[in-house]
Amino acid sequence: ALVYSGVSQDGYAQFCGGSIASENWIVTAAHCLPGLAAGDIEIIAGITTLGEPGSARSAVQQIISHPEYDDATLENDIALLKLASPLNLDSAARSAIALPYAQQGTSWPAANTCATVSGWGNTSTTTANYPDDLMAAEVDVLTGPTDPQCGSYSTYDYLPELMLCAAEMTLGRDACQGDSGGPLAVDVAGNWTLAGIVSWGFGCADPLYPGVYTRVTRYLGWVENHAPELNPDYEEDIPMGLPIWLLYEASRTN
Ligand code: 4AZ
């Protein structure tokens, strides 16, 4: 969770999501961050319920938003947060997600790939109903990286090279406001991999307007330029693990 440092109650402070890429780096959406300085925000990792006793915040040392992020078109909606001190990734509930270096950028993820989006965003399309418990939903990648059409969006708005289109048409599950910056994750042979970053959409769970995500494969070079340790060839291995929503689902009794 990305939270405002000036707001002490986590449930009120949370404004976006993010993904742990390594002990020092969080990947999120650039549109979460305009006007914010590193000292204005903190991150919470390793919990599923906002406000959970004992959940610690981590300070952010630097915000690196993509220099070509465009807040009118939402092109290049990606940012890196460098943490002031490393997270302890030894905890099962606090582990990194793989970046899709091993996947083919122009063919992955293919249409019909199952993906999971998660976050503390709004659960209602009509009122503000923000949960304290982390939510997760399985959605389908609707089109491949070269398919120009995403639902009913105009081809000027949906740019398949930079964006990814995913939705759950029959159950009406989708990301919504407050989920921005969080992961769209795909299980690649047991390695949870960051395919997308929650970016934008017209409303939420509207059958004509799928959720739109930043296409992470497109930005691996940019990520690596700023955070060389996120390149898989870097000498230190990043401990990967299960995504926190799976641990949460496993611990639920109902
Ligand atoms: C938002 O406002 C937002 N349905 C994020 C994702 C979606 C819609 C809105 C996708 O941050």
Side-chain angles (χ1 to χ4, degrees), residues 8 10 43-58 87 91 93-94:
S8 60
D10 296 342
I43 70 116
I44 302 177
I47 54 98
T48 54
T49 304
L50 295 171
E52 212 170 280
S55 70
R57 295 184 177 196
S58 300
L87 290 170
S91 146
R94 198 184 290 119

Side-chain angles (χ1 to χ4, degrees), residues 62-216:
Q62 192 186 4
I63 295 175
I64 306 174
S65 289
H66 196 289
E68 286 144 70
Y69 162 64
D70 184 328
D71 68 359
T73 62
L74 290 173
E75 285 165 279
N76 311 310
D77 191 9
I78 183 169
L80 289 164
L81 306 178
K82 178 152 203 231
L83 299 178
S85 52
L87 290 170
N88 177 1
L89 299 186
D90 292 348
S91 146
R94 198 184 290 119
S95 58
I97 191 167
L99 295 179
Y101 281 99
Q103 313 309 323
Q104 295 297 322
T106 54
S107 59
W108 184 87
N112 300 316
T113 300
C114 179
T116 303
V117 59
S118 52
W120 289 274
N122 200 355
T123 57
S124 166
T125 52
T126 49
T127 57
N129 191 2
Y130 289 84
D132 284 333
D133 287 336
L134 182 66
M135 309 298 269
E138 288 190 343
V139 292
D140 295 314
V141 174
L142 293 182
T143 53
T146 55
D147 192 321
Q149 197 64 51
C150 173
S152 299
Y153 292 121
S154 118
T155 50
Y156 294 102
D157 291 334
Y158 176 71
L159 305 170
E161 272 186 38
L162 310 182
M163 301 169 186
L164 187 162
C165 176
E168 212 300 26
M169 290 308 195
T170 49
L171 296 173
R173 291 177 176 156
D174 191 12
C176 202
Q177 189 159 31
D179 292 318
S180 285
L184 180 74
V186 172
D187 180 346
V188 181
N191 295 313
W192 285 91
T193 305
L194 188 66
I197 299 167
V198 178
S199 180
W200 62 275
F202 181 79
C204 305
D206 183 322
L208 296 179
Y209 295 100
V212 184
Y213 298 80
T214 310
R215 187 177 287 285
V216 175

Side-chain angles (χ1 to χ4, degrees), residues 99-102 224 228-238:
L99 295 179
Y101 281 99
E224 185 190 322
E229 74 181 62
L230 297 182
N231 182 309
D233 297 331
Y234 193 78
E235 61 261 41
E236 245 168 273
D237 274 347
I238 298 169

Side-chain angles (χ1 to χ4, degrees), residues 14-37:
Q14 186 269 342
F15 65 95
C16 265
S19 301
I20 303 170
S22 76
E23 59 181 8
N24 295 306
W25 294 96
I26 304 296
V27 180
T28 185
H31 88 258
C32 289
L33 301 164
L36 292 172

